[in-house]
Amino acid sequence: MAQLSAQSCRKLMALQLLLWHSVLWAGQEAAPLVSVTSLPPPLPLPRSFLLKSLEQVRKIQAGNSVLLEQLCATYKLCHPEELVLLGHSLGIPQASLSRCSSQAQQLTKCLSQLHGGLFLYQGLLQALAGISPELAPTLDALQLDVANFATTIWQQMESLGVAPTVQPTQGAMPTFTSAFQRRAGGVLATSHLQRFLETAHCALKHLVQP
């Protein structure tokens, strides 16, 4: 999968921020804006951590793309947008990275969102177990890569002293009652994961630039 250009990253991150603000303003009355200068300075992140994270993102993106291609080729499920309504009824969640946009980046909250999102998608991938014998090896490898990346983020949070005292527990995952639902859920979950990874890649790339 080709990596996003710097301009595309900026557009993607700006869109993420816009969507987050639209949800925020729709659900509550306007509050006084906080001056950017009043925000605390970001905690430094080691370059070695950022480069390792970028490498892990790319590896997950590659495996995720393979799984999407296999679902398309084997089961003709090639258009996630056609499954949106089914996704709502199945309760396929999406993770946000609103705190990781370049314009509102709060590193500790960004790391927390990144870990939480990876933990969510790890649970979704586990829920897809039994999708088919042919896809099982790809699914298992992808699940392991997501878990490893989540561990990398958690360890960095611990190094910064911002990790919660207790690791999060997995919430309720979708229940699939048919093979078609499981495969459709696989398309939606991996599509959501791919968009999540694109935003994560942009955020990490922005931080690693000198």
Side-chain angles (χ1 to χ4, degrees):
M1 174 181 170
Q3 300 300 331
L4 295 175
S5 66
Q7 183 178 7
S8 297
C9 275
R10 286 193 295 270
K11 289 181 179 179
L12 178 61
M13 294 168 74
L15 179 59
Q16 288 277 343
L17 185 63
L18 178 63
L19 290 173
W20 175 67
H21 277 301
S22 66
V23 171
L24 182 67
W25 281 94
Q28 63 182 33
E29 294 180 357
L33 293 177
V34 177
S35 169
V36 174
T37 57
S38 69
L39 295 175
L43 296 174
L45 292 176
R47 186 175 179 83
S48 58
F49 159 74
L50 294 172
L51 292 176
K52 179 180 180 180
S53 295
L54 279 170
E55 181 181 346
Q56 288 181 293
V57 168
R58 295 184 189 111
K59 184 177 182 183
I60 298 171
Q61 283 179 311
N64 199 56
S65 294
V66 169
L67 185 56
L68 275 169
E69 291 168 2
Q70 289 176 332
L71 285 164
C72 175
T74 306
Y75 301 110
K76 309 306 179 186
L77 295 170
C78 306
H79 304 287
E81 64 277 7
E82 297 176 356
L83 302 171
V84 171
L85 291 179
L86 177 60
H88 287 317
S89 65
L90 292 175
I92 307 291
Q94 297 186 58
S96 169
L97 282 179
S98 58
R99 298 294 187 180
C100 296
S101 74
S102 60
Q103 297 168 8
Q105 201 164 68
Q106 302 171 45
L107 292 185
T108 57
K109 293 182 179 180
C110 175
L111 289 176
S112 179
Q113 274 196 330
L114 186 53
H115 180 268
L118 291 167
F119 192 67
L120 170 67
Y121 288 116
Q122 185 181 350
L124 284 173
L125 293 174
Q126 288 173 343
L128 297 175
I131 191 169
S132 80
E134 296 80 12
L135 301 184
T138 305
L139 180 62
D140 291 344
L142 181 60
Q143 185 178 317
L144 179 61
D145 289 339
V146 170
N148 287 340
F149 187 24
T151 299
T152 297
I153 301 298
W154 183 266
Q155 289 173 343
Q156 185 58 44
M157 292 169 66
E158 288 183 324
S159 296
L160 294 172
V162 298
T165 54
V166 179
Q167 290 229 23
T169 56
Q170 196 64 260
M173 288 290 112
T175 300
F176 305 108
T177 59
S178 68
F180 172 76
Q181 283 189 358
R182 192 177 303 276
R183 292 160 189 167
V187 172
L188 290 166
T190 49
S191 297
H192 296 340
L193 175 58
Q194 201 74 339
R195 287 193 292 273
F196 177 86
L197 292 169
E198 287 170 358
T199 304
H201 183 272
C202 287
L204 291 166
K205 193 173 181 181
H206 173 75
L207 289 172
V208 84
Q209 289 173 349

